[in-house]
Amino acid sequence: KNEVEQSPQNLTAQEGEFITINCSYSVGISPLHWLQQHPGGGIVSLFMLSSGKKKHGRLIATINIQEKHSSLHITASHPRDSAVYICAVYSNTGNQFYFGTGTSLTVIP
Amino acid sequence: DAGVIQSPRHEVTEMGQEVTLRCKPISGHNSLFWYRQTMMRGLELLIYFNNNVPIDDSGMPEDRFSAKMPNASFSTLKIQPSEPRDSAVYFCASSPVAQETQYFGPGTRLLVL
């Protein structure tokens, strides 16, 4: 069993659609990261959150500590949002980072 | 700031050769991370440093891999001897402290023939 599981693995959406990517984890965290990897390979850190919700432009990340679950939402999706989104958690009990396998998002014009 | 700098950007080598990847973190960042990404295994943490000291190297695949951080502005990841299964993209990232937002370098694409 993976410590971090993401769903869906692949997602295709029409431009303008609201998108949700889910992340469930089984290890203790401090905090949880959402990363974005563009087709060219570059990785950008989108959010780091320990509780509640964060918003940046059209991106919203939420986390429920009790349920060990986080979601990444994209409002009014755009083709430039096409990328792989990776959830990662840091376990301070073992000084380990655990990564989800990523969600590959394609937004069609 | 130039961000995290990695070199080389691409490396092609033959099996058995020594490979050295380099990373310059963002100035003032105290944590540095080395990652490997492959199609089969996704993104994996190899090792990370806090204040130049290795904290966790449990992700290092085997003794052929070694990492050093002689000072706050430079780190190396060495593979000796290299094998075809080491072919991957190797990312370096830095953050102010380990649990904060990480800034990734552009990666080194390694191909071992």
Side-chain angles (χ1 to χ4, degrees), chain B residues 67-88:
Chain B
K68 294 182 180 180
M69 192 164 185
N71 56 62
S73 60
F74 183 67
S75 176
T76 60
L77 177 68
K78 187 175 292 187
I79 308 172
Q80 168 63 20
S82 58
E83 296 183 3
R85 60 194 167 115
D86 301 330
S87 299

Side-chain angles (χ1 to χ4, degrees), chain A residues 35-77:
Chain A
L35 309 174
Q36 179 192 53
Q37 185 168 30
H38 282 284
I43 297 177
V44 174
S45 178
L46 297 175
F47 294 103
M48 183 189 64
L49 64 166
S50 299
S51 63
K53 179 169 71 174
K54 286 191 175 181
K55 184 175 188 294
H56 182 68
R58 294 179 295 103
L59 301 178
I60 303 167
T62 64
I63 190 167
N64 184 317
I65 301 296
Q66 287 72 30
E67 295 184 3
K68 292 186 180 293
H69 181 269
S70 176
S71 293
L72 176 68
H73 305 286
I74 305 175
T75 61
S77 59

Side-chain angles (χ1 to χ4, degrees), chain B residues 14-90:
Chain B
E14 291 186 345
M15 183 174 67
Q17 296 297 307
E18 176 179 295
V19 175
T20 299
L21 311 181
R22 297 173 176 79
C23 176
K24 178 178 166 52
I26 292 173
S27 177
H29 283 190
N30 295 316
S31 296
L32 182 141
F33 307 80
W34 280 103
Y35 295 95
R36 177 174 69 176
Q37 186 177 40
T38 61
M39 288 292 291
M40 291 294 292
R41 300 173 68 91
L43 199 60
E44 302 172 280
L45 176 67
L46 299 177
I47 185 172
Y48 81 94
F49 296 84
N50 264 355
N51 297 313
N52 313 338
V53 176
I55 300 300
D56 180 17
D57 64 355
S58 59
M60 296 285 263
E62 49 197 88
D63 291 345
R64 297 184 297 106
F65 285 69
S66 63
K68 294 182 180 180
M69 192 164 185
N71 56 62
S73 60
F74 183 67
S75 176
T76 60
L77 177 68
K78 187 175 292 187
I79 308 172
Q80 168 63 20
S82 58
E83 296 183 3
R85 60 194 167 115
D86 301 330
S87 299
V89 181
Y90 291 82

